[in-house]
Amino acid sequence: MTNIRQYNSALSFASCGAQIDTLSGTGPYCYRIHGQIYHKTTHCQTSSTFPPKYAQLYFLDSEEALNERLKVNANKGCDKDLLKDLDLAIRSVNPYAKSYRMLKTLENEEISRQSQNSTTVATENNVSMMIRQDRTVDCRRYNLPNCSEVAVIFKNNDGAPPFQRDIRIYPKSENNNEFININILSCNLDPMCYTLMFPYGEPGWEPNMLSVIQNDDEKEKHITMLQYKKSKLAITRKQQNPLLNYGKLLQQYVVDSYVQVEAYRLNYVKNHQQDLRVESYTGLMDYMRNKTDEYGCDVGKQVILPSTFEGSPRNMREKYLDAMSIVGRFGSPDLFITFTCNPKWPEISDNLLYSQTASDRPDLVCRVFSLKYKELIYDIVENKIFGEVQQAMKTFVL
């Protein structure tokens, strides 16, 4: 459990890269990043210049892949036998591992066929694989699919992919270590980056996903990315949620999910500028055009981030002005109360599972803190423990 993030990174089909901020001290573990998270996967061919990484390790047999994983400095603390057992288990049940193995077999057959045919001119190997964006679509028929494959392996001459939004895995040149970006809207992102959490390759959220629970008299209800992520971390009355047992890896998954939701919201704002009535900012746009013409530069597409976007500069400035208006109307505040969370609260410690710490359950800590915070506000405003309350302001610091 101490090295669970290293185990997941060693066995995943894609990387989750970010600028991680390592906190010093003896406090609880906290996964914190700066900037943007990038999700990338590799091409199917390895080279002598760069060692095989991520999905390329599944082209090798289990013993070779294990030796390559142990060469990485970050995996020095991983147990060799456990890493081997996990690799064998994933190869047997994960559909991505089976697809990569099938791709390697077809590639070897194509190379062997070209070498045996003396009349064939040596050309670049065009064996490719498309990881499907929509797994419900059967490429051969228009009715219900009759297979559950997550990828399509094909051979072509021009190298053109048959789909546009899918992830294309194809050979690269010997000295090229270029990675393939995975879109945050892809249902393959979570199972490829968090193989230990989704060993069976269950698809993640995708646009226009419909709710499973629907009444007969209701229309089809679409699920947002935030609703889907919250459901993955929810605890049901019948059974425990296995995702809540991954410790440090759970923290990484929660932070990654938060960044995905924020990126999805930003993408919505970018593509719905007219719906947000940004024409009222024509003066600002004219100013930006004049500046770009003056300095001879191009700033790209102009996107107005509305003040309703939580955490944006205009949103924070608007809240600041509201707070100053309250001060101007009622005078300076009488009380400045700081409310912090104690990870040793009995409501937290009594609900931890075996061998868990408070840092392993960010969902439980946040829920208990929220309940206690609401109770504090109720005591101050409704029970009036400090007297009559005219106005109150709140802010959260993470």
Side-chain angles (χ1 to χ4, degrees):
M1 292 301 297
T2 303
N3 300 308
I4 188 169
R5 291 185 56 245
Q6 285 74 17
Y7 281 104
N8 179 78
S9 179
L11 297 167
S12 292
F13 300 89
S15 66
C16 179
Q19 183 180 352
I20 302 176
D21 184 15
T22 304
L23 298 177
S24 59
T26 58
Y29 176 81
C30 180
Y31 181 84
R32 189 169 67 174
I33 66 169
H34 289 298
Q36 186 176 355
I37 290 184
Y38 297 92
H39 306 90
K40 299 177 181 292
T41 188
T42 54
H43 298 282
C44 61
Q45 284 184 346
T46 60
S47 64
S48 58
T49 307
F50 302 99
K53 296 180 179 180
Y54 302 108
Q56 293 176 347
L57 293 170
Y58 288 93
F59 289 105
L60 310 176
D61 60 60
S62 182
E63 196 67 30
E64 288 182 287
L66 176 63
N67 295 331
E68 292 293 337
R69 291 187 176 107
L70 293 177
K71 291 179 182 179
V72 181
N73 293 329
N75 300 333
K76 295 298 182 180
C78 298
D79 182 77
K80 179 179 180 180
D81 296 331
L82 178 58
L83 196 59
K84 182 178 180 180
D85 292 341
L86 290 174
D87 176 79
L88 293 175
I90 292 174
R91 289 173 185 265
S92 62
V93 301
N94 193 284
Y96 294 96
K98 296 178 181 179
S99 298
Y100 277 99
R101 186 167 62 249
M102 189 185 308
L103 174 61
K104 184 62 177 178
T105 301
L106 184 60
E107 184 184 26
N108 292 336
E109 292 178 355
E110 182 69 11
I111 295 176
S112 177
R113 185 188 64 81
Q114 292 184 6
S115 62
Q116 293 177 1
N117 191 354
S118 59
T119 60
T120 302
V121 180
T123 58
E124 182 183 357
N125 188 11
N126 287 324
V127 178
S128 304
M129 178 174 69
M130 300 298 301
I131 300 179
R132 294 180 176 179
Q133 175 75 12
D134 186 1
R135 301 187 190 178
T136 62
V137 176
D138 191 344
C139 304
R140 301 164 297 178
R141 311 191 316 181
Y142 288 97
N143 53 358
L144 294 177
N146 59 1
C147 62
S148 59
E149 297 177 351
V150 301
V152 176
I153 301 174
F154 63 96
K155 295 183 294 183
N156 59 355
N157 297 325
D158 57 358
F163 313 103
Q164 294 182 354
R165 297 178 60 189
D166 298 341
I167 304 173
R168 186 188 179 196
I169 309 298
Y170 58 96
K172 294 296 289 184
S173 60
E174 179 72 15
N175 297 322
N176 196 331
N177 197 33
E178 181 184 353
F179 286 87
I180 304 172
N181 290 320
I182 303 179
N183 194 292
I184 62 168
L185 302 181
S186 174
C187 63
N188 302 293
L189 190 149
D190 286 347
M192 292 185 70
C193 292
Y194 300 94
T195 307
L196 290 185
M197 303 182 77
F198 307 99
Y200 294 95
E202 307 93 321
W205 181 88
E206 58 183 346
N208 301 323
M209 175 180 282
L210 299 177
S211 174
V212 178
I213 303 176
Q214 293 182 1
N215 298 328
D216 296 336
D217 56 344
E218 293 183 356
K219 297 182 180 180
E220 294 182 343
K221 183 178 181 181
H222 294 278
I223 303 176
T224 64
M225 182 186 291
L226 178 60
Q227 292 173 336
Y228 175 81
K229 296 293 185 178
K230 290 170 64 176
S231 67
K232 298 301 292 185
L233 300 175
I235 300 177
T236 62
R237 296 180 181 270
K238 297 182 180 180
Q239 60 183 1
Q240 289 288 340
N241 189 340
L243 296 185
L244 302 179
N245 294 275
Y246 283 87
K248 297 178 180 180
L249 184 60
L250 174 63
Q251 284 203 25
Q252 177 181 331
Y253 175 75
V254 171
V255 173
D256 191 5
S257 299
Y258 172 81
V259 175
Q260 292 177 31
V261 172
E262 287 293 281
Y264 177 68
R265 289 174 174 173
L266 288 172
N267 185 68
Y268 177 86
V269 172
K270 177 182 178 181
N271 297 326
H272 293 77
Q273 290 286 284
Q274 294 183 353
D275 300 337
L276 299 174
R277 299 181 179 180
V278 298
E279 61 271 7
S280 58
Y281 302 99
T282 53
L284 175 62
M285 294 183 178
D286 292 338
Y287 172 79
M288 292 296 297
R289 294 193 191 97
N290 294 333
K291 283 296 181 182
T292 55
D293 294 339
E294 179 181 349
Y295 292 102
C297 60
D298 185 13
V299 295
K301 182 180 179 180
Q302 297 174 349
V303 178
I304 302 299
L305 196 62
S307 60
T308 54
F309 190 89
E310 196 70 25
S312 64
R314 295 181 64 235
N315 176 263
M316 300 300 293
R317 177 176 175 81
E318 187 177 88
K319 290 183 176 181
Y320 167 76
L321 294 177
D322 291 342
M324 293 300 100
S325 299
I326 295 176
V327 173
R329 172 67 174 81
F330 297 96
S332 300
D334 298 304
L335 294 174
F336 184 88
I337 302 175
T338 301
F339 187 69
T340 59
C341 178
N342 184 1
K344 294 184 178 180
W345 277 337
E347 292 86 353
I348 296 178
S349 57
D350 294 346
N351 289 281
L352 294 175
L353 302 178
Y354 176 73
S355 73
Q356 282 188 339
T357 61
S359 61
D360 296 332
R361 292 293 303 277
D363 63 309
L364 180 61
V365 174
C366 291
R367 185 170 185 178
V368 172
F369 176 80
S370 178
L371 292 173
K372 287 183 173 289
Y373 166 76
K374 291 179 181 179
E375 189 67 23
L376 173 66
I377 297 299
Y378 184 84
D379 288 339
I380 296 175
V381 178
E382 301 296 335
N383 294 337
K384 303 177 182 178
I385 58 176
F386 296 119
E388 190 70 28
V389 177
Q390 292 182 321
Q391 289 291 332
M393 294 174 288
K394 61 181 180 180
T395 181
F396 292 95
V397 179
L398 302 179

